[in-house]
Every structure is written in structure tokens, then in C-alpha cells.
Amino acid sequence: MEEKTIQIAGSITVDELATALGLSVTELIGTLFKNGIVATINQRLDYETAQIIIDELGIENVKLERKNTSTKTSDFHRELSDKAVTRPPVVAVMGHVDHGKTTLLDTLLHKKTVDDEAGGITQHISAYQLKHNDRLITFLDTPGHEAFAAIRQHGAMLTDIVVIVVAADDGVKPQTVEAINFAKTANARIIVAINKIDREGADVNRTMADLSQHGLQPEEWGGDIVMVPISAKMNQNLDQLLDMILLTADIEELKADIDIPAEGLVIESHMEVGKGSVVNLLVTGGELKTGEFIVAGNTYGKVRTMLDWQGKPKGKATPSTPVTITGFKELPSFGDRFIEVKDEKTARKMALLNAQAAADETASANVTSGDLLRMMNVADNTKTFNVIIKGDVLGSVTSVVDSLKLIDTKGEITLNIVSTGVGDINENDVYMAAGGNTVIYGFNVSVPVNINKMAARDGVPVRTYKVIYELLDDAKHEMENLLDAEIIEEDKGELKVLGVFRTEKTSIIAGGEMLTGDVKPGYLARVIRNKKYLGEVEVTSVQKEKMDVNVLVAGETGGLAMKTTSKIELAINDRLKFFTREEHKKSL
Ligand code: GDP
């Protein structure tokens, strides 16, 4: 059978999909109908729905492919002209938490930043430049915790070289593997810095062996990965590491055109009082100058001020240069591509077109896979966890949202993000959350006193965090609380009633013989007569030869005092089947 690929940009109409699959529209509508979707010929289906339908129809020779229509990082490949010039490498330092990324950048920059960080974790992507052998190297300081997977993924896309920091006394850890995978996905060159070699317990060879098990073969062992043993703290071998970075950059022949309109990526954005939008950009092509008009996603602006990474004014930024600018009308999103345009009118028009394209993409799919799965899943017992996310910058909001989505809820909880935004928690957030069982999470933002009062009055939980994994832990905990507890019952033993001494409305005293197992105070029992269930009792005390005891076992006779919720007329020969019941809170 001939293989066929259908490209889907955002969504596809029923008509288009039917044509592409060589089916009649009625046939396709029929299949959708069988899956609980009433569709018309012009209805748009998203990628996942189309895929599910294709699977449902058992079509095997058709492959669906997502066509990327965004203007984001991934489709950022420009053919270079002959006039392209060498540019500095863009390097991201990644690795497991506490393996020494911050210390490495710190020592490299002779700048102390470790102490300023909340929870000792780098919270935002930032960029630095340093000079080695008279050549510039651009570093992206990517956050360390796994929760920042999203940012790091974007980070990797901008990156030519990933320096993976592995502590020689700890070896390869989950985030090391993640970093390796990101580097590979981003097609970046990998250099490994085996750190903390000054430490007792550091074992460079073992770390190398560990790394080669994860697909990174050291050059020394005939592989192709440069591994430099370093001590970030003691400033050992760092020059060698920088040499290797430059060597790798030379091999890669990193170049960019400069006589084209400036372009690049948004790597951070936030609002500042008195300045408006403050946006960090990494220029990837052309030269960006103050006074120029730029567009990023659905916003645009005129570069009002431009500073280098150290906060010094900069008139012109060449490729691989990180800069901070003001002048965007609204905050562009993290990872948005920016380009320079000739005037304000063009900028406004392009931003509008981008906004429309983005709106089309989300709005056009009027049947999503979520709907489809919901419809297929008749008995949907999932619970919903509603959240509002506020953060200090867009990058952190994106990270929090992405990380929340990564929490595995085992299909039992649906995460519903009511809204997200940059800035302090405000009245509107509380309004939105009120009455809706919604938790407001703030990341690196504050809650004005009046808002706190308002939230308390309306019973809206407002929680702010400075460290993302604490926020995630809380969210996980909240979700666990939504889960129904699991009830576990365990059979314990059986007694045959030989005499009933007293029966009151809510209590019984009786005696009998233990046939199997045991009975202890606190056990529950089902009362059974001729295989029929009469009710449930709770054992309050156990007696043997008129003495209170802790247990009565098989073969023994004794007396029991029991509690009931409704009167049970116990009779000779009834059976009491003892059991315990525990509620187990489910965890995620
Ligand atoms: P990050 O989470 O990867 O950014 O790790 P940090 O840079 O914050 O380092 C974590 C801890 O390891 C800190 O206490 C550092 O002082 C320590 N550390 C980092 N590099 C070295 C090193 O080369 N030698 C030693 N002995 N300690 C180091």
C-alpha cells in the first residue's frame, strides 16, 4: 500500500480530511457520529481528533503530520548568504540541580549570584557574555529544577552548544538525562563539564562510564563527546572548558548575516513601573538598533532603550548578543521570534495579522481531542482542579503552567487553568476564583493586603511561592485531596453466636465461639443469618471468662460488647464476620 502523509496546520475540515483519506464525507461523518460527534462537512477537527478517527477506521497507510505554522523558535532556519560573518556561540549550561551550574557561571563571570536566588535555584533564564581569548561567548543561564523543563526546552532551541554539568561525586541523574535529551532535540553540540573534581568521592572515570551508558561517549575513549573535568568552585580547568567551547564553535562554523533586518528571540519579558515592558532579546541575525521598529507575536514597538547584559546602554546589537530593551506596547511571549520592520504602520499590521493567525489556530478547531475523549469516555469520574496562575514574568507563568500539566494525575483529575497572567494577584483574580473552588497561585508576586482580605472573605485560597517545586508540591497535594479515599477492608475472623445477653437500641452484648481468625476491640462485624446480611456492628470490648481481654482467637469462647447504629435483634446461631476497614488517602 502506498504511504501517504497528511499535513495538518492547526486543524482540518471534515471535507478536507475525507478527501485526503479518499473517503466519502458521509462515511467520515458516520465514523465521527459513532464516536459521539455530530459533525458537519465544514467542521474543523484538530490533529488529535483526526488521528483518533484514522486509528478508528483502521487506516494504516496514512501518516498525520503537524504543520508548524507558528512563528516561534522551531522554524527559525534562515539560509545564510555568502556575506555571513562569524558570530559568538550561544551556550546553555544545563544539568541536575546542585551539580554546580550556577557556581560555574558565577566563577566564569566573577560575579556572585548564588546567594540572591530564592531557594538557591536560578529562576529565570538570563543571558551573559564573556570574553575568552578575545572572543565572545554568550551564555544562557537556564534554570535548574526539573520544573523548568519548559524554559529549558526553549533555552535549548536557542542554543548552539549545551554544556552539561555533571557532579563527579554524584554521577548521571534524571535532569542530566533530560539535559542530554534536550540538547539532542535542539540539535546542539554537547560538551560535558565533569564538576566538583576537588571533592572527596569525586570519580571522573566512573562519571564517564555513567555518561557513556547514557549515550555520551568520551573522546578519550574513542567517542565524540568532549568531557572536561573541572572544579567550578576552585576555578580549575575552566579555561580549558572555554577553549573547548570555542573550538566546538569553530568546527560548527557559526555564522549569521548582519545586513538583513534584525531578528531574534524573546528570552524574558516583564513589566516594570515607570518603564513599561522590559524585554530580554537574543539577536540571532542582523543588527538591532535603538529607534527601530520590531514585531514579536501579536505585539510590536519601537526600541526605546537598549542595554547590554550588564545594564550598560548599547546602541547596536549584533548576532548572538543578549540585550534588554524597552518599548514593546505589550509583553511578547517567551520564545516569540522578533523581527525588525521598516515603520510603525507595518509593525502594527504584522502584529495584528499574527494575533489573527494565533486566534484562528486556537478557535478553528471546534472539536478537540479532549472533547472526543470525553465523549468516548461515558463514565467520566474525573474531578477538576481549578487554578489561576500569576507570575512575575511570562517565562515563569509558562513554566508553572507547563509543569502543572506534567503532574501525572493518573487520569483521575483534570487540571483546569481558569486564567493566567503577569503581575500581582488582583481583585479580578479573586472574583474569578470565588465560588468556583479555585486556587490562586502566585509565583514571585505579592498579594496586596486588601486582596488578601477579600480572598479570605470569599473563601478563596491564595498561595504565593518563590520556589516553583514548592508550588507544584502544594498543587499535587491539593489534587490528592480531591481524590476519593480508597477503602480497604480486611477479613479477620468469624464467631458463632451462642447466647444473646442484652439488646438495646444501639448496643448488644452477646457470647459465642470463635470459628476462625480472631476478634479484637475496634473490629467491625457483619451480622449474617442464613447467609443473609442483617447489619453492621462495631466491637467495643471483648471478654473471656468475664475478664476484659485484647483478643479472642479461633476455638475460644467469650463475650462481646458491640455498638450498632440501628437496632439489630441478634439470635443464637447468627454469625459475626469480623473485619477491619481503613481509609487510604490516594496519592499521585
Ligand atoms: P546548581 O543547582 O547546578 O546551580 O548548583 P550550584 O552552583 O548552586 O551548586 C550547588 C552546591 O555545590 C553549592 O553548594 C556549590 O558551592 C557546590 N559546588 C559547585 N561546584 C563545586 C565544585 O566544583 N566543588 C565543590 N566542592 N563544590 C561545588
Side-chain angles (χ1 to χ4, degrees), residues 364-378:
S364 61
N366 30 33
V367 178
T368 66
S369 55
D371 297 338
L372 181 55
L373 288 173
R374 259 193 298 284
M375 288 185 232
M376 283 174 150
N377 227 343
V378 188

Side-chain angles (χ1 to χ4, degrees), residues 467-502:
V467 178
I468 194 164
Y469 58 80
E470 287 175 4
L471 187 159
L472 294 177
D473 278 351
D474 184 87
K476 202 168 155 186
H477 189 70
E478 283 290 331
M479 290 200 249
E480 284 173 341
N481 284 344
L482 289 176
L483 294 175
D484 291 324
E486 207 173 357
I487 292 171
I488 296 178
E489 292 184 347
E490 198 182 327
D491 288 334
K492 290 296 184 183
E494 189 174 341
L495 175 138
K496 183 175 157 188
V497 177
L498 299 177
V500 180
F501 309 118
R502 207 156 95 196

Side-chain angles (χ1 to χ4, degrees), residues 236-415:
Q236 250 175 293
N237 285 355
L238 297 195
D239 275 340
Q240 196 189 332
L241 178 65
L242 296 176
D243 287 343
M244 286 304 153
I245 290 173
L246 289 176
L247 188 70
T248 308
D250 288 340
I251 295 167
E252 291 286 292
E253 292 187 55
L254 303 171
K255 289 188 169 178
D257 276 304
I258 49 171
D259 52 1
I260 55 168
E263 61 177 22
L265 290 169
V266 174
I267 55 178
E268 184 62 87
S269 66
H270 65 275
M271 293 305 253
E272 249 174 62
V273 180
K275 288 188 189 160
S277 66
V278 177
V279 179
N280 290 358
L281 302 174
L282 182 75
V283 178
T284 58
E287 289 180 330
L288 185 66
K289 298 178 209 71
T290 42
E292 285 175 345
F293 288 95
I294 52 177
V295 184
N298 55 9
T299 175
Y300 70 98
K302 181 181 182 172
V303 182
R304 211 165 58 207
T305 59
M306 182 156 76
L307 307 174
D308 71 5
W309 69 271
Q310 287 172 299
K312 291 195 218 102
K314 202 167 173 73
K316 184 174 89 176
T318 49
S320 296
T321 309
V323 285
T324 304
I325 67 148
T326 59
F328 267 111
K329 301 265 178 217
E330 282 165 51
L331 285 185
S333 296
F334 174 77
D336 273 352
R337 177 186 173 182
F338 79 82
I339 49 167
E340 177 203 333
V341 293
K342 64 177 195 299
D343 54 24
E344 177 150 20
K345 203 170 126 212
T346 317
R348 196 180 322 123
K349 211 160 97 194
M350 268 187 72
L352 205 66
L353 284 175
N354 282 347
Q356 272 163 5
D360 281 354
E361 222 175 272
T362 35
S364 61
N366 30 33
V367 178
T368 66
S369 55
D371 297 338
L372 181 55
L373 288 173
R374 259 193 298 284
M375 288 185 232
M376 283 174 150
N377 227 343
V378 188
D380 183 5
N381 289 325
T382 55
K383 299 208 157 64
T384 305
F385 178 49
N386 298 314
V387 289
I388 292 176
I389 313 288
K390 297 300 286 278
D392 53 340
V393 290
L394 270 175
S396 51
V397 174
T398 314
S399 280
V400 171
V401 170
D402 287 356
S403 313
L404 279 173
K405 286 185 186 160
L406 286 176
I407 296 178
D408 182 10
T409 63
K410 302 188 177 130
E412 298 198 49
I413 308 267
T414 309
L415 174 74

Side-chain angles (χ1 to χ4, degrees), residues 96-103 120 195-196 198-199 231-233:
H96 200 71
V97 66
D98 279 346
H99 278 198
K101 297 172 294 292
T102 314
T103 312
N195 192 28
K196 306 199 187 182
D198 60 295
R199 274 222 174 147
S231 167
K233 196 169 167 181

Side-chain angles (χ1 to χ4, degrees), residues 94-106 114 117 120-122 141-142 144-145 165 169 195-200 230-236:
M94 297 184 175
H96 200 71
V97 66
D98 279 346
H99 278 198
K101 297 172 294 292
T102 314
T103 312
L104 173 61
L105 282 166
D106 238 29
V114 181
E117 292 172 22
I121 288 183
T122 314
D141 181 6
T142 55
H145 192 265
V165 178
D169 60 348
N195 192 28
K196 306 199 187 182
I197 54 166
D198 60 295
R199 274 222 174 147
E200 213 178 299
I230 62 161
S231 167
K233 196 169 167 181
M234 302 299 166
N235 196 357
Q236 250 175 293

Side-chain angles (χ1 to χ4, degrees), residues 23 26 50 79 107 161 202 252 258 343 384 412 439 500 511 535 577:
L23 295 174
T26 358
E79 291 285 315
T107 312
I161 298 169
E252 291 286 292
I258 49 171
D343 54 24
T384 305
E412 298 198 49
V439 179
V500 180
K577 295 202 169 187

